[in-house]
Amino acid sequence: MTALTPSRPHASGRGRLALALLLGALVAVSLGVYGNVHDPTGRSLVTLFFTATINLKVWLATLAIGLAIFQVLTAARFYGRLGAGSGPPWLGRVHRASGTLAFLVTIPVAYHCLWALGFQAAEARVLAHGLLGCTFFGAITAKVLLVRSRGLPGWALPLAGGTVFTALIGVWLTSSLWYFTTVKFPGF
């Protein structure tokens, strides 16, 4: 293509939104299907410096919640909901780094859930946990695809981020908080 040849127009913001939502839905459904057809091993994978895999999962999920709360607060600052302006110049980098870290600490938790436990529906809490976990990873897929997109409706990114946050809170309530309050408060 030469400098004189006009470039093709980019897909519309609505098209990018639809594609991101479709891909997010595919990720969510794929995880649920895999978890349902996979024969769970029932074995622990990794403990790192924790005494048991469950302790690792509970604390990593709790760390992800702390980082997600930071994400919400910094996003509120960007949107002018906390103080005037969008905040200091470094806040965007810290926001992205904390979001990346929150996502990364959920990976071993989700991997163990799918590999060792699979998708279960024997009781309401466990079913809700599995559905929320699939929703979380589908929503985060959509959000990552939307975050740098232009021409989106103003509600798209906050709704995607809110869905990620809400699903993560639901996952944590049906797992870590349940474990803290029903089983035991785990040590390291």
Side-chain angles (χ1 to χ4, degrees):
M1 177 180 286
T2 67
L4 299 175
T5 307
S7 63
R8 286 187 337 183
H10 293 286
S12 71
R14 290 182 193 262
R16 286 189 293 275
L17 176 60
L19 181 61
L21 294 176
L22 176 64
L23 290 174
L26 285 172
V27 166
V29 170
S30 297
L31 288 172
V33 168
Y34 172 78
N36 195 43
V37 300
H38 166 69
D39 287 328
T41 65
R43 295 189 337 244
S44 293
L45 289 171
V46 65
T47 58
L48 296 177
F49 57 85
F50 292 89
T51 57
T53 301
I54 188 66
N55 295 354
L56 168 81
K57 289 172 61 177
V58 166
W59 286 113
L60 286 180
T62 301
L63 174 60
I65 288 296
L67 291 165
I69 290 169
F70 180 78
Q71 284 279 291
V72 169
L73 293 173
T74 54
R77 181 66 193 257
F78 295 149
Y79 282 93
R81 303 288 188 238
L82 290 178
S86 60
W90 52 263
L91 193 59
R93 289 186 302 278
V94 173
H95 177 82
R96 283 187 296 281
S98 67
T100 301
L101 183 57
F103 172 72
L104 290 175
V105 300
T106 64
I107 297 292
V109 176
Y111 182 77
H112 179 267
C113 285
L114 282 171
W115 186 76
L117 306 173
F119 190 91
Q120 300 177 18
E123 58 184 273
R125 179 192 62 82
V126 176
L127 175 61
H129 179 74
L131 291 171
L132 288 163
C134 292
T135 300
F136 169 77
F137 281 99
I140 203 163
T141 299
K143 182 181 180 288
V144 165
L145 293 172
L146 293 174
V147 75
R148 296 278 185 193
S149 295
R150 302 287 179 241
L152 297 174
W155 52 263
L157 193 55
L159 181 63
T163 303
V164 169
F165 181 76
T166 302
L168 184 60
I169 292 292
V171 168
W172 185 81
L173 290 171
T174 57
S175 59
S176 296
L177 183 64
W178 174 84
Y179 194 84
F180 286 147
T181 59
T182 306
V183 179
K184 69 176 183 173
F185 193 81
F188 289 94

